Short mmCIF file of all heavy atoms in Angstrom, two decimals:
data_model
loop_
_atom_site.label_atom_id
_atom_site.label_comp_id
_atom_site.label_asym_id
_atom_site.label_seq_id
_atom_site.Cartn_x
_atom_site.Cartn_y
_atom_site.Cartn_z
N PHE A 159 9.83 -0.10 -13.60
CA PHE A 159 8.93 -1.20 -13.25
C PHE A 159 8.47 -1.85 -14.56
O PHE A 159 7.79 -1.22 -15.37
CB PHE A 159 7.73 -0.70 -12.46
CG PHE A 159 6.91 -1.79 -11.82
CD1 PHE A 159 7.02 -2.06 -10.47
CD2 PHE A 159 6.05 -2.56 -12.58
CE1 PHE A 159 6.28 -3.07 -9.88
CE2 PHE A 159 5.31 -3.57 -12.01
CZ PHE A 159 5.41 -3.83 -10.66
N ASP A 160 8.90 -3.08 -14.76
CA ASP A 160 8.57 -3.81 -15.99
C ASP A 160 8.98 -3.00 -17.22
O ASP A 160 8.26 -2.95 -18.23
CB ASP A 160 7.08 -4.14 -16.04
CG ASP A 160 6.78 -5.36 -16.88
OD1 ASP A 160 7.74 -6.07 -17.27
OD2 ASP A 160 5.61 -5.62 -17.16
N GLY A 161 10.13 -2.33 -17.13
CA GLY A 161 10.68 -1.58 -18.25
C GLY A 161 10.20 -0.16 -18.37
O GLY A 161 10.70 0.59 -19.20
N VAL A 162 9.24 0.25 -17.52
CA VAL A 162 8.69 1.60 -17.58
C VAL A 162 9.28 2.44 -16.46
O VAL A 162 9.28 2.04 -15.29
CB VAL A 162 7.15 1.58 -17.46
CG1 VAL A 162 6.58 3.00 -17.47
CG2 VAL A 162 6.54 0.75 -18.58
N ARG A 163 9.81 3.62 -16.79
CA ARG A 163 10.37 4.52 -15.79
C ARG A 163 9.24 5.08 -14.93
O ARG A 163 8.27 5.63 -15.45
CB ARG A 163 11.14 5.66 -16.47
CG ARG A 163 11.86 6.60 -15.50
CD ARG A 163 12.65 7.64 -16.30
NE ARG A 163 13.38 8.56 -15.43
CZ ARG A 163 12.88 9.68 -14.93
NH1 ARG A 163 11.62 10.02 -15.20
NH2 ARG A 163 13.60 10.47 -14.15
N ILE A 164 9.36 4.95 -13.61
CA ILE A 164 8.27 5.35 -12.72
C ILE A 164 8.71 6.41 -11.70
O ILE A 164 8.03 6.58 -10.67
CB ILE A 164 7.66 4.14 -12.00
CG1 ILE A 164 8.72 3.38 -11.19
CG2 ILE A 164 6.96 3.22 -12.99
CD1 ILE A 164 8.13 2.31 -10.30
N ASN A 165 9.80 7.08 -11.94
CA ASN A 165 10.19 8.19 -11.04
C ASN A 165 9.01 9.15 -10.88
O ASN A 165 8.41 9.59 -11.86
CB ASN A 165 11.37 8.96 -11.62
CG ASN A 165 12.66 8.16 -11.61
OD1 ASN A 165 12.66 7.00 -12.01
ND2 ASN A 165 13.75 8.77 -11.17
N GLY A 166 8.67 9.47 -9.65
CA GLY A 166 7.60 10.42 -9.38
C GLY A 166 6.21 9.84 -9.39
O GLY A 166 5.25 10.53 -9.00
N VAL A 167 6.04 8.58 -9.81
CA VAL A 167 4.70 7.97 -9.76
C VAL A 167 4.36 7.69 -8.30
O VAL A 167 5.12 7.03 -7.59
CB VAL A 167 4.69 6.66 -10.57
CG1 VAL A 167 3.33 5.96 -10.43
CG2 VAL A 167 4.99 6.93 -12.04
N PRO A 168 3.22 8.19 -7.80
CA PRO A 168 2.89 8.03 -6.38
C PRO A 168 2.59 6.58 -6.03
O PRO A 168 2.28 5.76 -6.91
CB PRO A 168 1.65 8.92 -6.21
CG PRO A 168 1.05 9.00 -7.58
CD PRO A 168 2.20 8.97 -8.54
N PRO A 169 2.65 6.24 -4.74
CA PRO A 169 2.47 4.84 -4.32
C PRO A 169 1.17 4.21 -4.78
O PRO A 169 1.16 3.05 -5.20
CB PRO A 169 2.53 4.93 -2.79
CG PRO A 169 3.35 6.14 -2.50
CD PRO A 169 3.02 7.11 -3.60
N TYR A 170 0.07 4.96 -4.74
CA TYR A 170 -1.23 4.35 -5.05
C TYR A 170 -1.37 4.01 -6.53
O TYR A 170 -2.29 3.26 -6.90
CB TYR A 170 -2.38 5.26 -4.59
CG TYR A 170 -2.59 6.50 -5.41
CD1 TYR A 170 -3.46 6.53 -6.49
CD2 TYR A 170 -1.90 7.68 -5.09
CE1 TYR A 170 -3.65 7.67 -7.23
CE2 TYR A 170 -2.09 8.83 -5.83
CZ TYR A 170 -2.96 8.83 -6.90
OH TYR A 170 -3.14 9.98 -7.63
N LYS A 171 -0.48 4.54 -7.36
CA LYS A 171 -0.50 4.21 -8.78
C LYS A 171 0.48 3.09 -9.13
O LYS A 171 0.56 2.69 -10.30
CB LYS A 171 -0.20 5.45 -9.63
CG LYS A 171 -1.27 6.52 -9.58
CD LYS A 171 -0.95 7.65 -10.55
CE LYS A 171 -2.01 8.73 -10.51
NZ LYS A 171 -1.71 9.83 -11.47
N ARG A 172 1.21 2.61 -8.18
CA ARG A 172 2.18 1.53 -8.43
C ARG A 172 1.55 0.18 -8.09
O ARG A 172 0.68 0.10 -7.22
CB ARG A 172 3.45 1.74 -7.61
CG ARG A 172 4.13 3.06 -7.93
CD ARG A 172 5.52 3.16 -7.35
NE ARG A 172 6.12 4.46 -7.66
CZ ARG A 172 7.40 4.74 -7.56
NH1 ARG A 172 8.27 3.80 -7.15
NH2 ARG A 172 7.86 5.94 -7.87
N LYS A 173 2.04 -0.86 -8.74
CA LYS A 173 1.48 -2.19 -8.54
C LYS A 173 2.16 -2.87 -7.35
O LYS A 173 2.64 -4.01 -7.44
CB LYS A 173 1.65 -3.01 -9.81
CG LYS A 173 1.02 -2.37 -11.04
CD LYS A 173 1.39 -3.12 -12.30
CE LYS A 173 0.90 -2.37 -13.54
NZ LYS A 173 1.28 -3.06 -14.79
N VAL A 174 2.21 -2.15 -6.25
CA VAL A 174 2.88 -2.65 -5.05
C VAL A 174 2.00 -2.40 -3.83
O VAL A 174 1.16 -1.50 -3.83
CB VAL A 174 4.25 -1.98 -4.83
CG1 VAL A 174 5.15 -2.18 -6.04
CG2 VAL A 174 4.11 -0.51 -4.50
N ASN A 175 2.20 -3.20 -2.81
CA ASN A 175 1.62 -2.97 -1.50
C ASN A 175 2.71 -3.13 -0.46
O ASN A 175 3.74 -3.77 -0.72
CB ASN A 175 0.47 -3.95 -1.20
CG ASN A 175 -0.89 -3.34 -1.54
OD1 ASN A 175 -1.01 -2.15 -1.77
ND2 ASN A 175 -1.92 -4.18 -1.58
N THR A 176 2.50 -2.58 0.74
CA THR A 176 3.53 -2.57 1.76
C THR A 176 2.98 -3.11 3.08
O THR A 176 1.86 -2.80 3.46
CB THR A 176 4.07 -1.13 2.00
OG1 THR A 176 4.53 -0.60 0.74
CG2 THR A 176 5.21 -1.14 2.99
N VAL A 177 3.80 -3.93 3.73
CA VAL A 177 3.50 -4.40 5.09
C VAL A 177 4.54 -3.78 6.01
O VAL A 177 5.75 -3.99 5.83
CB VAL A 177 3.55 -5.93 5.19
CG1 VAL A 177 3.32 -6.38 6.64
CG2 VAL A 177 2.52 -6.56 4.27
N PHE A 178 4.08 -3.02 7.00
CA PHE A 178 4.98 -2.33 7.91
C PHE A 178 5.18 -3.12 9.20
O PHE A 178 4.39 -3.99 9.54
CB PHE A 178 4.44 -0.93 8.24
CG PHE A 178 4.28 -0.04 7.04
CD1 PHE A 178 3.04 0.12 6.45
CD2 PHE A 178 5.37 0.62 6.50
CE1 PHE A 178 2.88 0.93 5.33
CE2 PHE A 178 5.22 1.44 5.39
CZ PHE A 178 3.98 1.60 4.80
N GLN A 179 6.22 -2.77 9.93
CA GLN A 179 6.50 -3.44 11.20
C GLN A 179 5.36 -3.26 12.19
O GLN A 179 5.03 -4.15 12.95
CB GLN A 179 7.80 -2.91 11.79
CG GLN A 179 8.18 -3.56 13.12
CD GLN A 179 9.52 -3.07 13.65
OE1 GLN A 179 10.29 -2.47 12.93
NE2 GLN A 179 9.78 -3.34 14.91
N LYS A 180 4.74 -2.07 12.18
CA LYS A 180 3.68 -1.77 13.15
C LYS A 180 2.29 -2.08 12.62
O LYS A 180 1.29 -1.64 13.19
CB LYS A 180 3.79 -0.32 13.59
CG LYS A 180 5.10 -0.03 14.33
CD LYS A 180 5.18 1.41 14.81
CE LYS A 180 6.49 1.67 15.55
NZ LYS A 180 6.62 3.08 16.00
N TYR A 181 2.23 -2.81 11.48
CA TYR A 181 0.98 -3.35 10.92
C TYR A 181 0.04 -2.30 10.35
O TYR A 181 -0.54 -2.50 9.29
CB TYR A 181 0.21 -4.19 11.94
CG TYR A 181 1.04 -5.16 12.73
CD1 TYR A 181 0.74 -5.47 14.04
CD2 TYR A 181 2.17 -5.76 12.18
CE1 TYR A 181 1.51 -6.34 14.79
CE2 TYR A 181 2.96 -6.64 12.91
CZ TYR A 181 2.63 -6.92 14.21
OH TYR A 181 3.39 -7.77 14.94
N ALA A 182 -0.19 -1.16 11.06
CA ALA A 182 -1.07 -0.09 10.60
C ALA A 182 -2.48 -0.58 10.33
O ALA A 182 -3.14 -0.16 9.38
CB ALA A 182 -0.48 0.57 9.33
N LEU A 183 -2.98 -1.47 11.18
CA LEU A 183 -4.37 -1.92 11.07
C LEU A 183 -5.31 -0.85 11.63
O LEU A 183 -4.93 -0.07 12.50
CB LEU A 183 -4.57 -3.23 11.82
CG LEU A 183 -3.75 -4.42 11.34
CD1 LEU A 183 -4.01 -5.63 12.23
CD2 LEU A 183 -4.05 -4.75 9.88
N PHE A 184 -6.54 -0.84 11.14
CA PHE A 184 -7.54 0.12 11.63
C PHE A 184 -8.20 -0.45 12.88
O PHE A 184 -8.94 -1.45 12.79
CB PHE A 184 -8.58 0.40 10.55
CG PHE A 184 -8.00 0.98 9.29
CD1 PHE A 184 -8.03 0.26 8.10
CD2 PHE A 184 -7.42 2.24 9.30
CE1 PHE A 184 -7.50 0.80 6.94
CE2 PHE A 184 -6.89 2.78 8.13
CZ PHE A 184 -6.92 2.06 6.96
N PRO A 185 -8.01 0.16 14.04
CA PRO A 185 -8.54 -0.42 15.28
C PRO A 185 -10.06 -0.41 15.36
O PRO A 185 -10.65 -1.20 16.10
CB PRO A 185 -7.92 0.46 16.38
CG PRO A 185 -7.60 1.76 15.70
CD PRO A 185 -7.23 1.40 14.30
N HIS A 186 -10.72 0.48 14.60
CA HIS A 186 -12.18 0.58 14.68
C HIS A 186 -12.87 -0.39 13.73
O HIS A 186 -14.11 -0.47 13.71
CB HIS A 186 -12.63 2.01 14.36
CG HIS A 186 -12.27 2.47 12.98
ND1 HIS A 186 -10.96 2.74 12.60
CD2 HIS A 186 -13.05 2.69 11.87
CE1 HIS A 186 -10.96 3.12 11.34
NE2 HIS A 186 -12.20 3.10 10.87
N LEU A 187 -12.08 -1.11 12.92
CA LEU A 187 -12.66 -2.07 11.97
C LEU A 187 -12.32 -3.50 12.41
O LEU A 187 -11.26 -3.75 13.00
CB LEU A 187 -12.10 -1.84 10.56
CG LEU A 187 -12.35 -0.47 9.93
CD1 LEU A 187 -11.71 -0.41 8.54
CD2 LEU A 187 -13.84 -0.16 9.85
N ASN A 188 -13.22 -4.43 12.11
CA ASN A 188 -12.92 -5.83 12.40
C ASN A 188 -11.98 -6.40 11.33
O ASN A 188 -11.58 -5.69 10.40
CB ASN A 188 -14.21 -6.65 12.54
CG ASN A 188 -15.03 -6.69 11.25
OD1 ASN A 188 -14.51 -6.47 10.16
ND2 ASN A 188 -16.33 -6.97 11.39
N VAL A 189 -11.64 -7.65 11.47
CA VAL A 189 -10.67 -8.27 10.56
C VAL A 189 -11.17 -8.21 9.12
O VAL A 189 -10.43 -7.84 8.20
CB VAL A 189 -10.39 -9.73 10.98
CG1 VAL A 189 -9.62 -10.47 9.89
CG2 VAL A 189 -9.63 -9.77 12.30
N TYR A 190 -12.43 -8.57 8.90
CA TYR A 190 -12.99 -8.56 7.55
C TYR A 190 -12.88 -7.18 6.92
O TYR A 190 -12.41 -7.03 5.78
CB TYR A 190 -14.44 -9.01 7.59
CG TYR A 190 -15.10 -9.07 6.22
CD1 TYR A 190 -15.19 -10.26 5.53
CD2 TYR A 190 -15.65 -7.92 5.63
CE1 TYR A 190 -15.78 -10.32 4.27
CE2 TYR A 190 -16.26 -7.96 4.39
CZ TYR A 190 -16.32 -9.16 3.72
OH TYR A 190 -16.91 -9.20 2.48
N GLU A 191 -13.32 -6.15 7.65
CA GLU A 191 -13.33 -4.80 7.09
C GLU A 191 -11.91 -4.26 6.89
O GLU A 191 -11.67 -3.48 5.96
CB GLU A 191 -14.14 -3.87 7.98
CG GLU A 191 -15.63 -4.17 8.00
CD GLU A 191 -16.26 -4.08 6.61
OE1 GLU A 191 -15.79 -3.26 5.78
OE2 GLU A 191 -17.20 -4.84 6.33
#
């Protein structure tokens, strides 16, 4: 990633986000939250 080897770096430490087919929204929270 940008020239840095990131094998083994967990998702939360990567500069990426993911949108899934099933959305994975929190049903107990409103849109804002």
Side-chain angles (χ1 to χ4, degrees):
F159 192 103
D160 206 10
V162 178
R163 184 177 181 272
I164 58 171
N165 291 47
V167 175
Y170 72 92
K171 292 186 180 181
R172 300 192 181 195
K173 303 172 187 178
V174 303
N175 265 347
T176 305
V177 177
F178 300 99
Q179 180 177 345
K180 296 182 180 179
Y181 315 147
L183 299 178
F184 300 114
H186 62 289
L187 300 179
N188 62 22
V189 168
Y190 181 97
E191 292 301 328

